[in-house]
């Protein structure tokens, strides 16, 4: 599709109302200040920095793509996340490379590093520079010309420095938030992590300081001379949702499906 919008900025129905941008008279707290990294180079009318809009788009999903530099090359990993106020949390194994890099475990300021014994000799760094993206794909836009095919979307891009969370209370709250963000109410309805599990789990925190939203809505933008071509044009909506719960094969027959699962 020639209108090739990046996966970090993809999806929204033609019927979806255009997200409102913060007015120029809004107080600073109402919007994230644009930076060189968050100002889009094209389609600036589709970008916004409204804090409530960014939070809303983050809260409507639970999978993000976490980008960082490793050994001088970009790496992007899909992972679960949760927003708590002005912070995003992600988690992973204490042995995973990005978690160790965020803790100063072997990467220089450019993201270079070598595994193994060499890492111990490298200086610790105050976090890991990351880019976090969240995308909602709302529709496939079919135009009369191949060039004008596109997608309707809503997205958020966050730039920041990931820090490893070491405070026990914050780690516990973050892990509960990660579970509840995917299925609200679940954290209180399962066994908490034990000491061994907590020792194997690391949590990263990214402050929401540089954040922006971007979107596309509406139908195809065909050239006037193409409007008479005999090719169907319009929007194919994309929807997502939860299906019927499937109990584990080893689940006792008398364990009911929780309301927070059936009411998704």
């Amino acid at each position: 599709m020639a209108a090739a919008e990046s996966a970090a900025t993809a999806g929204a129905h033609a019927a979806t109302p255009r997200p409102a941008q913060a007015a120029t008279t809004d107080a600073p707290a109402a919007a994230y200040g644009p930076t060189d990294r968050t100002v889009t180079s094209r389609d600036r009318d589709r970008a916004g920095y409204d804090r409530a809009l960014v939070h809303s788009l983050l809260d409507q999903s639970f999978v993000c793509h976490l980008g960082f530099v490793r050994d001088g090359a970009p790496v992007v990993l899909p992972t679960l996340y949760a927003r708590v106020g002005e912070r995003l949390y992600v988690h992973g194994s204490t042995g995973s490379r990005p978690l160790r890099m965020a803790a100063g475990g072997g990467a220089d300021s450019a993201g270079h590093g070598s595994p193994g014994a060499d890492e111990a000799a490298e200086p610790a760094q105050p976090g890991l520079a990351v880019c976090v993206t969240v995308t909602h794909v709302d529709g496939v836009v079919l135009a009369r010309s191949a060039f004008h095919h596109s997608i309707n979307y809503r997205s958020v891009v966050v730039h920041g420095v990931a820090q490893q969370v070491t405070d026990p209370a914050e780690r516990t709250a973050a892990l509960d938030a990660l579970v509840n963000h995917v299925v609200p109410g679940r954290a209180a309805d399962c066994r908490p992590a034990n000491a061994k599990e907590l020792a194997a789990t690391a949590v990263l925190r990214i402050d929401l300081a540089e954040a922006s939203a971007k979107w596309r809505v509406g139908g195809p933008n065909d050239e006037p001379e193409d409007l008479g071509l005999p090719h169907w044009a319009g929007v194919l909506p994309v929807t997502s949702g939860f299906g019927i719960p499937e109990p584990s094969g080893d689940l006792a027959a008398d364990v009911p499906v929780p309301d927070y699962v059936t009411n998704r």
Side-chain angles (χ1 to χ4, degrees), residues 5 9 16 21 56 61 69 71-73 87 98 114 117 124 126 150 187 190 199 234 258:
E5 320 228 20
T9 55
T16 302
Q21 289 182 259
S56 174
S61 186
V69 175
D71 297 334
R87 288 174 170 173
S114 300
S150 188
C190 61

Side-chain angles (χ1 to χ4, degrees), residues 1 3 140-150 216 219-223 226 229 231-235:
M1 297 184 179
V140 177
V141 181
L142 304 177
R144 294 167 180 84
S145 68
F147 180 82
H148 285 296
H149 281 60
S150 188
R216 185 196 189 280
N221 296 320
D222 275 311
E223 301 297 333
D226 290 336
L229 293 176
H231 309 302
W232 189 90
V235 176

Side-chain angles (χ1 to χ4, degrees), residues 1-257:
M1 297 184 179
E5 320 228 20
S6 74
T9 55
H13 288 255
T16 302
R18 177 185 177 120
Q21 289 182 259
T24 55
T25 56
D26 284 343
Y32 295 104
T35 69
D36 289 342
R37 296 193 294 188
T38 60
V39 173
T40 181
S41 60
R42 59 189 295 268
D43 296 328
R44 294 193 178 187
D45 60 323
R46 298 179 182 175
Y49 308 92
D50 182 77
R51 192 176 301 268
L53 172 61
V54 169
H55 289 183
S56 174
L57 294 179
L58 290 173
D59 294 348
Q60 291 174 49
S61 186
F62 49 79
V63 176
C64 71
H65 286 82
L66 177 70
F68 57 97
V69 175
R70 181 180 69 188
D71 297 334
V75 177
V76 179
L77 301 176
T79 186
L80 298 176
Y81 73 91
R83 181 185 70 86
V84 179
E86 290 297 325
R87 288 174 170 173
L88 290 183
Y89 290 99
V90 301
H91 81 296
S93 167
T94 53
S96 68
R97 189 63 176 271
L99 274 300
R100 288 187 289 117
M101 291 169 69
D108 61 24
S109 59
H112 300 280
S114 300
D118 291 342
E119 292 187 344
E122 296 178 357
Q125 299 298 318
L128 173 67
V130 298
C131 178
V132 181
T133 63
V134 174
T135 304
H136 304 267
V137 178
D138 296 316
V140 177
V141 181
L142 304 177
R144 294 167 180 84
S145 68
F147 180 82
H148 285 296
H149 281 60
S150 188
I151 55 174
N152 284 339
Y153 65 89
R154 293 159 293 142
S155 67
V156 169
V157 176
V158 176
H159 294 274
V161 176
Q163 304 280 353
Q164 187 161 336
V165 177
T166 57
D167 177 74
E170 185 180 1
R171 288 183 73 224
T172 298
L175 291 171
D176 284 348
L178 283 160
V179 174
N180 284 330
H181 182 54
V182 181
V183 181
R186 183 62 179 178
D189 193 29
C190 61
R191 176 182 65 79
N194 57 36
K196 180 180 179 180
E197 292 164 342
L198 288 173
T201 304
V203 178
L204 292 183
R205 175 185 65 236
I206 302 106
D207 290 337
L208 292 174
E210 286 187 84
S212 62
K214 194 176 180 185
W215 57 85
R216 185 196 189 280
V217 296
N221 296 320
D222 275 311
E223 301 297 333
E225 60 269 24
D226 290 336
L227 298 182
L229 293 176
H231 309 302
W232 189 90
V235 176
L236 180 62
V238 176
T239 60
S240 62
F242 293 95
I244 299 174
E246 301 175 357
S248 173
D250 54 6
L251 184 69
D254 60 346
V255 177
V257 181

